[in-house]
Every structure is written in C-alpha cells, then in structure tokens.
Amino acid sequence: MSLRGFVGRMKQHILISGAGVTGLALAYWLKRLDFAVTVVESSPGFRRGGHAIDVRGVALEVLKAMGLFEKASALKTRSKGMSVLDAQGNEIQRTEERTFSAGRLDSKDLEVFRDDLCQLMLDALASSVPIRYSESIKSISQNASGVTVGLASGVQERFDVVVGADGVYSNTRKLVFDDEAEVIKPLGAVLAFFGVPNFLKLEHWQYAHRTEDIGYVMYPSREQDELRVGAGYGIEGNEVPRHDVAAQKAMVAKKCAGLGGFFPKILEAMKQTPQFYYNELAQIRMPQWSKGRVVLAGDAAHCASPFTGQGTSLALVGALVLAHELSQRPALPTEAFAAYELHMRPYVALNQALLDLTRKGPVPDEQMDRAKFGIELGEMIAAVS
C-alpha cells in the first residue's frame, strides 16, 4: 500500500488553530494528502485589509505547486516606485528601483496583499475543510494516542494532532509550552496597519518616512481606492492592552502627533476604520517547536518579524514541509515533527538573521538571496505533487 493510501485509510484528524497564511496553506496540503482537517479561527469571519506581503525564492515554487502562482501573479501590487518624505510630507528622495514593502522591483519576487493571498487559498480549499470562525482553543490535554481539545464554544473534541498556526502571540503555545516569556524576544517597537480612503490619490506608488523615533509606509490597495498605512514606533514594555483597539488607535495617534502635512487627516480617518491591526513586534526563538502531539508553525514557532519581509515565505515553506513529514509518518507525529524541524531550522535561522534594527537601508541583496533560497524543496514538492 502506498503511503498516501495508508494515510487515507487511517484518516488522521488534525486541528489547526489559525486561518492566516500558515493555517490555510497547511490545511491545503494536509487535505491534498488525504488527512481530515478542521480549522478554528478566533476572528468572527474572513479578515479583509492588511498589508502587502512578499513571496520570495523557494516559496514561489511552493505557490506553483499549489497551482496558485498564476492567479497570485494577476493580483500583484504593481508598485512603480516610492517617495521618501520628511515629517511634513515633503518629498526628499524618490526611486523607481525599489519600494519599502517589496524591495527590488526588477526581481522575480511576488508582492500581493495578504487578504488576496488568503482568499486564493480559501478558494482552493473549496469548502473541503471546515473553518470555524469565532472559535478558539481553551484547553489542551494529550496522551500517547491523541489530543483532547476544549473549545471556546464549550465542546470537547479529540484529534490526532493539533497545530498552532495562531501567530506571534500564539494561544496554542501558551497553553502547551512552559517557557513563554523566554521564547518571545521583544524588538521594542509597535507596528500598526490600517486602511483609510485614498484621498491622496496615490496610484501604484508608495510614501515612506523614517526617523529614529517613528516611521510609516503607505500605498494604495489593488483597486487604488484605499490607502494601506503602516505606522511604527518604539515602545518600552506593553503600553496598551493587546485587545483594546480603541486604546491602540489612541496610542498610534499620540505617537504620530508630531507628523504634519497630510498625516493628521490619515490619523482622523484611522479612528473610523474597522481594518486595524496592531502588534508589539518580536521574534520567536524556541528550543523545540513541538510537544507530544502538538506542533507550532509559522510565526507561532519562529516569527522573523515584519522587518525581514520573509514571514509569508516562511509560512508557505513551513506548511509544505510539515505536511510532507506528517504524510511520511502519519502514525508517528513526534518523528514527523523532528524531521520538520531538521529541515526548517537552517532556513529559519537565515531569515531571522535578516533583522537589523540599526540598518538604515534595505537588506543587502546578497544576504536576502541567501535567505530566500535557503532550503531545498525539489524532492519534497515532487513527493506531494
């Protein structure tokens, strides 16, 4: 019997916590490999908005293997360049060679909006995987044969494997692992992303500003009718509660109060937008990504930080590697997790090393090329295709 047939007969049931890039990509591969998959997501529904994300290097091969490369290419951002502005919104520099969000414009890398990529993966799943919105994990207990999960809705269910794909401040990680404070490496900065109407009439162009204390980048949505704005600044500790959106918006307005020109109007529009994301930036560095039958993936396991520009590529590659290893050892998840880490850790290390908060310019091209091609996937893609 083939391995894939064996998996099908056993029909291992896997729970994924998180319906972002990592969770959806993993659900795609696991379903394709004939696992039973359920996804829970704490948000009330699919989240529109968000920032532009990059698919680079070997991650492009993963996207091709998923059959999504052509569709994603049709949705790329098509930025033509960027202007660097002073605090009053005056242009002090411009370039048509690269942008802050995408890097070099002559590269083969692909920049798309996060919600566009997630929608493509949802469409590829075609309702074959149940996604339970407004649901989250409240408790996890496991033994040698499986994992019992208590959900926020009050039900308990049994799974063969649980995957935490629930982001840098992973709830799954908090519930299962004992060293939460030690694995989060704060970067002393906040990044807030939000959408506002494109009253600046920007078209296929970015604005960016950066000083020692604060910085921002903004660019139009794919339809050019909305501005996606990212504002970042330094902090000491947790200055506002993590889930208090009103307090977060007030803090962004306070930190950005010294910016002039058009930016006060941006802040005024921010007050009304439902598309608002706020995170204290951190890297995640764990000695082990699994414990028993529970494993972490994407930012929950190894967040590199948005400043590296490699979070999406790490998510896509990691989802493929984890699904492949589980398909090779469906009845032996701990061995599959060990093989997953063995393959992924050198690639993760190269990408986490891209972070340098003292760097004034972009990541050197040579260093980025080493990181984005830092894992061999040819045989693995052939095995799962």
Side-chain angles (χ1 to χ4, degrees):
M1 181 186 297
S2 70
L3 283 172
R4 191 170 299 187
F6 179 68
V7 174
R9 282 191 65 180
M10 294 298 292
K11 211 64 172 179
Q12 301 281 302
H13 194 180
I14 297 180
L15 176 67
I16 300 172
S17 176
V21 174
T22 303
L24 292 175
L26 183 59
Y28 169 87
W29 284 114
L30 289 172
K31 186 64 180 178
R32 183 160 157 177
L33 292 166
D34 207 24
F35 289 85
V37 184
T38 297
V39 178
V40 293
E41 167 56 48
S42 60
S43 298
F46 179 68
R47 299 185 73 182
R48 291 287 176 189
H51 55 291
I53 56 179
D54 300 288
V55 184
R56 297 187 168 112
V58 291
L60 291 168
E61 300 306 311
V62 177
L63 210 57
K64 291 175 184 176
M66 297 174 77
L68 298 179
F69 177 75
E70 296 299 331
K71 292 178 180 178
S73 296
L75 299 175
K76 65 183 181 181
T77 58
R78 303 184 191 280
S79 293
K80 296 178 180 178
M82 65 177 286
S83 298
V84 179
L85 310 181
D86 66 15
Q88 299 305 311
N90 302 306
E91 184 178 82
I92 55 177
Q93 182 183 346
R94 70 165 35 214
T95 177
E96 296 181 1
E97 295 180 359
R98 66 191 314 132
T99 63
F100 183 89
S101 64
R104 287 172 43 193
L105 295 178
D106 62 352
S107 77
K108 296 180 180 179
D109 301 333
L110 181 64
E111 183 183 58
V112 296
F113 285 103
R114 179 188 181 277
D115 52 351
D116 283 339
L117 181 59
C118 287
Q119 185 65 64
L120 286 179
M121 290 191 285
L122 277 173
D123 293 344
L125 289 172
S127 301
S128 63
V129 171
I131 301 178
R132 304 181 195 172
Y133 291 103
S134 298
E135 185 66 285
S136 59
I137 299 174
K138 289 301 180 184
S139 66
I140 294 176
S141 61
Q142 59 176 310
N143 58 26
S145 62
V147 187
T148 300
V149 176
L151 297 170
S153 59
V155 300
Q156 279 196 343
E157 296 185 42
R158 187 78 168 167
F159 298 92
D160 295 289
V161 166
V162 172
V163 183
D166 43 356
V168 60
Y169 293 102
S170 166
N171 177 57
T172 310
R173 192 179 63 232
K174 291 177 188 174
L175 289 171
V176 176
F177 294 83
D178 301 324
D179 51 356
E180 181 70 4
E182 283 145 23
V183 304
I184 299 175
K185 309 299 181 184
L187 302 182
V190 154
L191 187 59
F193 260 99
F194 52 93
V196 299
N198 186 7
F199 61 86
L200 295 178
K201 306 300 182 186
L202 273 183
E203 292 187 7
H204 305 293
W205 197 260
Q206 291 190 10
Y207 284 165
H209 168 75
R210 183 180 176 185
T211 65
E212 293 296 327
D213 302 319
I214 197 164
Y216 66 75
V217 61
M218 64 182 68
Y219 37 78
S221 61
R222 184 163 47 84
E223 297 82 3
Q224 311 296 300
D225 61 342
E226 181 183 65
L227 287 175
R228 305 282 175 93
V229 183
Y233 49 83
I235 59 167
E236 294 183 10
N238 297 326
E239 296 190 347
V240 295
R242 187 155 292 132
H243 301 293
D244 189 338
V245 174
Q248 292 168 352
K249 287 183 176 182
M251 182 58 70
V252 172
K254 177 182 177 181
K255 295 287 188 177
C256 296
L259 296 172
F262 56 77
F263 212 83
K265 191 173 180 181
I266 295 281
L267 294 175
E268 190 62 31
M270 177 192 69
K271 296 177 182 178
Q272 308 302 320
T273 184
Q275 296 180 10
F276 183 84
Y277 308 83
Y278 181 101
N279 242 343
E280 297 97 0
L281 298 184
Q283 283 196 337
I284 300 299
R285 294 177 177 265
M286 299 187 69
Q288 189 170 344
W289 300 339
S290 65
K291 189 172 184 180
R293 288 177 170 265
V294 179
V295 65
L296 303 174
D299 282 353
H302 49 66
C303 179
S305 103
F307 291 138
T308 68
Q310 281 292 89
T312 301
S313 294
L314 284 164
L316 291 170
V317 171
L320 169 70
V321 174
L322 178 55
H324 172 263
E325 297 303 342
L326 282 167
S327 75
Q328 298 299 296
R329 306 162 182 83
L332 300 168
T334 57
E335 291 186 13
F337 299 157
Y340 156 63
E341 284 202 41
L342 183 67
H343 279 101
M344 282 294 293
R345 277 200 178 271
Y347 177 59
V348 167
L350 285 170
N351 284 280
Q352 287 190 327
L354 295 174
L355 178 67
D356 182 353
L357 295 178
T358 66
R359 186 190 295 120
K360 299 298 183 182
V363 175
D365 292 338
E366 183 178 315
Q367 185 181 7
M368 176 60 81
D369 286 344
R370 283 197 304 272
K372 70 186 187 182
F373 290 107
I375 188 172
E376 172 55 48
L377 296 177
E379 291 184 7
M380 203 170 291
I381 288 175
V384 299
S385 297

